[in-house]
Amino acid sequence: MRVLLTGHQGYLGTVMAPVLAAAGHEVVGLDSGLFADCLLGPSPADPPGHRVDLRDVTADHVAGVDAVIHLAALSNDPLGSLAPDLTYDINHHASVRLARLARDAGVRRFLYASTCSVYGAAGGGDLVTEDAPLRPVTPYAESKVRVEDDLHALADGDFGPVFMRNATAFGYSPRLRADIVLNNLVGHALLSGEVLVLSDGTPWRPLVHAADIARAFAAALTAPREAVHDRAFNIGSEINNVTVAEIAEQVAEAVSGARVVITGETGADPRSYRVDFSRFRAAIPGFDCEWTVKQGALELADAYRKFGLTREDFERRFTRLAVLRAASDAGTVDDTLRWRR
Ligand SMILES: NC(=O)c1ccc[n+]([C@@H]2O[C@H](COP(=O)([O-])OP(=O)(O)OC[C@H]3O[C@@H](n4cnc5c(N)ncnc54)[C@H](O)[C@@H]3O)[C@@H](O)[C@H]2O)c1
């Protein structure tokens, strides 16, 4: 397949592009490159790509494409809360526009990177399935719910959206993010000797390795239409349904000498959910996630050590919000996060 991969220069896209290529697909990227230089380790060999803002995509970008994998977005809660209007412009409106262009161009499959945070304040009781009520508690999560709704309305006999509700990712990517929980805790542990948890540690936060997300998307790309058409899937594994305190314990085991410190200063976090991942396994026989939280913590600790993580990089280069604030302060992006010419 000729696959348009938006967000190919992000944390997940950089891991996913080679997985798709290895599966025999022709990958074409599309990214404005906001985090292209946020590298830990050597530069990856990106696929050919369009350097374009998602809001400026035209029919030319989707012409001749068989499938779209749509990752590009302001990718977390702090970014979404920084400028909710911008989040809705980019994550919601521009995503739906891309989907319409794709449908008009005859694209048959559209894999959308949604998130388990659509379940929001589901609590830690029963495992939430894809049929659970959606209770987003941030503009970021709300933007994902709106896109799912609008893409569902576009589904027809030819155009098949698939909603991939990923758990929170972890693990090494050449374009690292240290603002996601496991990657953050491992980095902090290495730099300070403390696994620092600012919440009270009780929220449930299902995790999934970036490489397992990439494998799931590759599987959904070629799955029979009836297995995935217009369906939502939680992407992850029940063994990685963990509380933040449990994640911290795993990190302390992976980084020798580090001790867990739970300050509780940010109080209880309303984003708490335990998730049932069985629907995707049933749709894609043979698929399962390969990585545990502990393995991911060990892998990251090795990568951070090998490539010499510094506090400066940890706090600035690998924190999406800090990168955008710095670009804005330096005047390289305008207040709509478009590059200045
Ligand atoms: N990482 C996670 O834990 C996680 C979990 C669930 C869902 N997701 C979703 O997966 C997707 C990828 O996440 P990620 O962790 O790789 O994030 P990321 O921030 O590393 O990558 C996002 C990419 O989108 C690009 N982008 C942002 N705004 C753009 C715009 N206006 N035009 C063109 N490109 C733009 C950025 O340049 C970046 O390369 C996102 O949609 C995110 O919401 C991520």
Side-chain angles (χ1 to χ4, degrees):
M1 283 186 181
R2 185 175 162 85
V3 181
L4 182 71
L5 176 65
T6 77
H8 73 290
Q9 291 179 310
Y11 171 71
L12 292 180
T14 302
V15 172
M16 199 176 293
V19 170
L20 298 173
H25 303 295
E26 180 191 347
V27 181
V28 180
L30 190 152
D31 200 307
S32 61
L34 291 169
F35 311 112
D37 298 331
C38 301
L39 295 167
L40 181 71
S43 249
D46 288 335
H50 308 285
R51 188 166 174 113
V52 65
D53 194 287
L54 189 62
R55 291 162 288 185
D56 303 328
V57 165
T58 67
D60 287 347
H61 295 115
V62 286
V65 165
D66 299 304
V68 173
I69 295 182
H70 181 37
L71 307 180
L74 296 182
S75 59
N76 64 9
D77 291 324
L79 286 183
S81 303
L82 173 72
D85 288 352
L86 216 47
T87 297
Y88 292 122
D89 278 352
I90 296 172
N91 291 13
H92 178 208
H93 300 124
S95 294
V96 176
R97 217 177 125 259
L98 171 70
R100 284 214 180 86
L101 288 168
R103 188 180 71 156
D104 293 348
V107 170
R108 296 184 65 79
R109 192 158 293 182
F110 190 100
L111 304 187
Y112 175 58
S114 187
T115 166
C116 286
S117 19
V118 294
Y119 301 119
D126 294 340
L127 296 184
V128 292
T129 70
E130 291 81 352
D131 298 324
L134 305 185
R135 297 194 184 102
V137 292
T138 61
Y140 164 74
E142 174 65 30
S143 75
K144 297 281 173 181
V145 173
R146 293 186 191 181
V147 176
E148 287 198 15
D149 285 348
D150 289 353
L151 263 56
H152 169 64
L154 292 178
D156 63 19
D158 297 317
F159 181 73
V162 185
F163 312 107
M164 306 286 277
R165 294 181 184 161
N166 303 295
T168 299
F170 65 88
Y172 176 69
S173 161
R175 289 200 178 86
L176 198 81
R177 281 181 61 184
D179 53 7
I180 37 185
V181 60
L182 181 70
N183 299 5
N184 182 275
L185 293 180
V186 176
H188 202 276
L190 279 169
L191 291 169
S192 71
E194 287 185 348
V195 189
L196 185 66
V197 177
L198 300 180
S199 75
D200 64 5
T202 58
W204 289 93
R205 192 58 43 81
L207 300 186
V208 59
H209 196 284
D212 283 329
I213 293 179
R215 290 172 49 249
F217 275 68
L221 199 59
T222 53
R225 177 186 153 85
E226 61 278 10
V228 296
H229 177 77
D230 196 21
R231 297 183 78 193
F233 295 102
N234 296 328
I235 303 300
S237 161
E238 286 79 0
I239 56 163
N240 294 334
N241 266 328
V242 279
T243 63
V244 174
E246 285 167 351
I247 300 169
E249 291 298 337
Q250 299 283 309
V251 171
E253 284 178 27
V255 179
S256 63
R259 65 186 187 98
V260 175
V261 178
I262 297 184
T263 70
E265 64 196 71
T266 57
D269 186 334
R271 300 167 304 167
S272 182
Y273 37 86
R274 286 171 70 223
V275 176
D276 180 315
F277 297 99
S278 59
R279 184 188 282 181
F280 193 67
R281 287 193 299 269
I284 313 281
F287 180 88
D288 210 348
C289 290
E290 293 176 349
W291 285 80
T292 63
V293 170
K294 179 72 174 291
Q295 288 167 334
L298 288 165
E299 178 210 30
L300 264 173
D302 281 351
Y304 281 145
R305 282 195 199 100
K306 181 171 162 193
F307 299 122
L309 178 71
T310 64
R311 181 165 290 282
E312 168 76 11
D313 279 354
F314 179 65
E315 288 173 358
R316 301 189 187 279
R317 181 184 291 256
F318 301 133
T319 299
R320 295 297 186 242
L321 185 58
V323 172
L324 293 185
R325 282 214 167 113
S328 174
D329 290 348
T332 50
V333 297
D334 66 19
D335 56 9
T336 69
L337 299 180
R338 282 189 168 85
W339 294 108
R340 289 186 200 275
R341 294 183 199 285

